[in-house]
Amino acid sequence: MKKVLITGAAGFLGSHLCDRFIKQGYSVIAMDNLITGNLSNIEHLFPNKHFEFFHHDVTKFVHVPGKLDYILHFASPASPIDYLKIPIQTLKVGAMGTHNLLGLAKAKNARILVASTSEVYGDPEVHPQPESYKGHVNPVGPRGVYDEAKRYMEAITMAYHTYHGLETRIVRIFNTYGPRMRLNDGRVLPAFIGQALRDEDLTIFGDGSQTRSFCYVDDLIEGIYRLLLSDCSDPVNIGNPDEITIKEFAEEIVKLTGKNNKVVYKPLPKDDPMQRQPNIDKARKLLDWSPKVDRAHGLQITYDYFKSLPKEELYRKEHNTFEGYVRK
Ligand code: UDP
């Protein structure tokens, strides 16, 4: 039985990866410090004898007993609100956390896949963004802590590959949505759906002409799975090229919820990218992968998930934050 370590396992993507690897017959070691993750995302896996959870912060030395075949490093705050709130931890998990996991991969002779992001392209001047685009990032802006941590992560991962011959994979993840997103993490989809369910106005930042391209989580997980098993050590974009303005997106959410929410306009946050769409030619060619779930279907599943949550979740300000650890 192959054994995989998944960091950030209690988070949105980490928990879906745990499900996928258990389903594929792997033994899964899940690791999370629960700063932004939530155990309820993986508690259904606890009875499984091939699933083990370690409550651990990967910026500290990481020890895993026995053999290890694969590591998937998905631990990181990943929403603009989170990394504004915990900027130092965001930098540390991308830099020191990645270094620890590369060291572990080397010691265990394991293959490691690291979760990078479209944020390495910053506010892009090339559209859509191919992997060859080197980016337009402000290192000292509010997003710098995330963007630069992920750029460093890519650099050190590539250095372990070239210097130590480690088997490495780098996925650049574009905006992804689906069940288990945190309702209050500030990202646009849970923000809009939460506002709709609470009968509040939907808050559009800027004039809503900025674009994003949203990928349903199952498609993303399939792409990551294929990349891990491929022989491609260069970065690969995984995302859905179906691009939409944030204003149109708000209209879709209002239609989906069948409510009559108004939209209100708020100032655009600093360095908020104006456009984003992945060029996925490489994933199509090397992984024979492309997204299958259209937005109408994916949004319906996601809306049904948020609707099924206990009502108090809708009004909860934070999930699983450790008092004293996160400075308000
Ligand atoms: N956004 C918005 N209203 C909100 C939350 C976000 O208009 O309540 C905008 C945000 O300014 C950005 C886009 O939606 O242009 C996507 O934001 P998100 O935080 O989901 O992710 P990003 O792609 O910016 O990292």
Side-chain angles (χ1 to χ4, degrees):
M1 196 172 207
K2 298 263 191 212
K3 199 161 162 186
V4 56
L5 167 68
I6 299 174
T7 74
F12 167 45
L13 297 181
S15 67
H16 284 280
L17 284 168
C18 289
D19 283 340
R20 177 63 189 261
F21 279 87
I22 286 288
K23 202 169 126 207
Q24 295 287 145
Y26 289 73
S27 164
V28 172
I29 299 185
M31 199 170 271
D32 205 300
N33 65 1
L34 302 179
I35 292 182
T36 57
N38 193 326
L39 278 183
S40 67
N41 290 334
I42 47 172
E43 65 189 355
H44 59 285
L45 294 172
F46 278 62
N48 191 310
K49 67 176 191 301
H50 301 303
F51 181 83
E52 230 180 321
F53 176 72
F54 286 87
H55 182 196
H56 183 68
D57 179 341
V58 296
T59 66
K60 311 263 166 32
F61 185 84
V62 182
H63 172 70
V64 172
K67 71 150 195 168
L68 209 50
D69 298 289
Y70 299 114
I71 298 174
L72 290 109
H73 181 28
F74 277 70
S76 176
S79 86
I81 289 217
D82 282 343
Y83 43 79
L84 275 177
K85 223 186 274 174
I86 42 175
I88 316 290
Q89 287 92 336
T90 304
L91 281 156
K92 281 173 72 179
V93 75
M96 295 150 71
T98 304
H99 190 195
N100 287 338
L101 292 160
L102 287 164
L104 180 68
K106 183 166 150 271
K108 301 279 184 184
N109 204 15
R111 180 182 295 181
I112 180 167
L113 180 148
V114 297
S116 186
T117 164
S118 54
E119 282 287 326
V120 300
Y121 303 124
D123 188 1
E125 294 158 310
V126 168
H127 193 73
Q129 295 80 54
E131 290 85 349
S132 55
Y133 178 51
K134 295 188 185 73
H136 181 225
V137 174
N138 176 7
V140 293
R143 288 175 182 250
V145 294
Y146 184 62
D147 302 7
E148 297 295 357
K150 292 296 188 180
R151 289 171 70 98
Y152 175 89
M153 166 195 266
E154 291 198 10
I156 192 170
T157 299
M158 208 37 103
Y160 266 72
H161 175 66
T162 50
Y163 186 71
H164 290 304
L166 193 71
E167 286 203 43
T168 56
R169 306 287 179 265
I170 300 171
V171 58
R172 290 188 180 150
I173 299 169
F174 283 67
N175 293 69
T176 301
Y177 69 97
R180 302 184 192 153
M181 290 185 96
R182 256 163 59 224
L183 202 46
N184 297 308
D185 76 355
R187 285 200 199 112
V188 67
L189 180 137
F192 284 172
I193 292 186
Q195 287 159 346
L197 289 173
R198 290 188 300 265
D199 291 318
E200 294 168 4
D201 297 337
L202 269 58
T203 52
I204 293 183
F205 298 163
D207 63 4
S209 64
Q210 72 272 35
T211 67
R212 294 294 185 271
S213 308
F214 296 97
C215 183
Y216 185 65
V217 63
D218 288 358
D219 282 333
L220 184 95
I221 299 296
E222 177 64 29
I224 290 168
Y225 189 73
R226 288 184 187 211
L227 176 60
L228 177 72
L229 300 183
S230 78
D231 55 10
C232 182
S233 51
D234 288 327
V236 179
N237 289 340
I238 300 284
N240 190 325
D242 188 3
E243 186 178 356
I244 183 174
T245 67
I246 294 302
K247 188 164 183 284
E248 288 163 339
F249 192 58
E251 286 159 8
E252 282 191 3
I253 300 287
V254 171
K255 201 164 147 219
L256 171 75
T257 59
K259 306 222 176 190
N260 249 338
N261 304 71
K262 287 201 314 269
V263 300
V264 291
Y265 292 87
K266 302 259 171 163
L268 190 68
K270 186 168 159 43
D271 293 339
D272 197 291
M274 272 317 291
Q275 51 182 6
R276 189 183 284 152
Q277 188 202 126
N279 174 323
I280 57 165
D281 291 351
K282 199 166 169 181
R284 282 188 210 275
K285 195 160 148 232
L286 294 181
L287 312 177
D288 190 25
W289 174 89
S290 60
K292 300 279 178 274
V293 181
D294 68 27
R295 203 169 47 246
H297 184 51
L299 284 182
Q300 185 66 55
I301 299 171
T302 311
Y303 177 55
D304 291 344
Y305 164 78
F306 281 123
K307 245 188 350 190
S308 74
L309 293 176
K311 200 151 176 64
E312 58 268 23
E313 288 285 317
L314 273 179
Y315 296 92
R316 188 141 104 191
K317 289 265 182 300
E318 287 293 347
H319 296 254
N320 263 26
T321 51
F322 281 174
E323 281 304 318
Y325 200 99
V326 177
R327 283 173 207 275
K328 296 275 177 336

